[in-house]
Amino acid sequence: MHHALRRGRNLILLLLAALLTGCLALPQTGLFAFRLAVTSLGVEEVRIGPYSVNAGLDTSDLTRLLASSLGAGSLPVQATLAMGLGLPAGMPAVEMSGFRWTLDMPGVDPVQGQYQQDVTLTPGDDANLRLPVAFDILATDPQRMTPMIELASQLASQGELPPGSELAITPGDLRGLGMTLPSGLLTPTIRLNVGADGQLIPQR
């Protein structure tokens, strides 16, 4: 009896290990969690302090802005990250209960947040989401100020993340086809890098 229980337990552990390492094909209802993809990334509405960089912020304005902000000790940069999330054709529609995200850009401490709204994902119809990104130019080493200002200007002028940026998304609970996958169960964190020409490079 004990041998049979031990063999059954070992078999379950082997099957679970095979599932987690991708050695065993999952049914479509479980596979959709691995197929969630970031389809687009863009940057909108960049502001340095009270200035909208999209409207144009020349060097003299920026110099005066820095000088006037030194006493306050804060010069916030705010931007909106426009992101597309999608599923490939043939996959079932999914309802995702939000997600955690982290954005790591060169020269800036990682920015993170929680998207708390439900997201409906339908193949062929990407969900267009907006994530708030914020960092403070003056709340850092003075030697990093110039690169951070250049980063803010680049975000606005090019409308995209700089090369070397990394976005990580941890899906919330996923519901579809009458079943629910709790966050963390067969729903790994999605990571992608931004390449030299703006292409999105999924990380394995």
Side-chain angles (χ1 to χ4, degrees):
M1 179 70 175
H2 291 296
H3 290 297
L5 288 175
R6 189 178 299 113
R7 283 197 301 270
R9 185 173 56 187
N10 289 340
L11 178 59
I12 292 173
L13 291 175
L14 285 173
L15 288 173
L16 181 59
L19 285 171
L20 295 177
T21 56
C23 296
L24 186 66
L26 288 170
Q28 191 175 21
T29 53
L31 184 59
F32 66 75
F34 290 107
R35 306 289 295 277
L36 181 65
V38 177
T39 58
S40 63
L41 281 176
V43 177
E44 304 172 343
E45 303 172 3
V46 179
R47 298 182 65 86
I48 300 180
Y51 288 82
S52 174
V53 187
N54 308 62
L57 183 65
D58 63 34
T59 305
S60 61
D61 283 337
L62 188 53
T63 301
R64 287 196 297 268
L65 183 59
L66 278 172
S68 65
S69 300
L70 288 175
S74 177
L75 184 56
V77 174
Q78 298 174 310
T80 300
L81 184 64
M83 179 179 67
L85 279 180
L87 294 172
M91 302 301 291
V94 175
E95 187 81 12
M96 180 170 62
S97 60
F99 54 88
R100 297 193 310 274
W101 60 273
T102 301
L103 176 62
D104 194 352
M105 296 179 289
V108 179
D109 292 335
V111 179
Q112 57 188 358
Q114 178 84 34
Y115 191 89
Q116 297 182 340
Q117 302 177 30
D118 287 349
V119 181
T120 300
L121 298 168
T122 304
D125 185 15
D126 294 346
N128 295 312
L129 311 177
R130 298 295 183 269
L131 307 178
V133 175
F135 56 92
D136 198 317
I137 291 177
L138 296 184
T140 186
D141 188 315
Q143 294 182 346
R144 298 175 62 188
M145 287 184 188
T146 299
M148 291 176 73
I149 293 171
E150 292 175 350
L151 170 62
S153 298
Q154 180 181 1
L155 291 176
S157 62
Q158 299 184 11
E160 59 186 25
L161 295 174
S165 299
E166 180 183 276
L167 177 67
I169 293 176
T170 302
D173 295 350
L174 296 169
R175 300 183 297 274
L177 292 183
M179 64 175 293
T180 298
L181 285 180
S183 178
L185 178 63
L186 302 181
T187 56
T189 296
I190 302 163
R191 301 181 187 276
L192 57 87
N193 286 348
V194 178
D197 58 357
Q199 82 273 25
L200 305 180
I201 307 171
Q203 301 301 297
R204 299 296 181 184

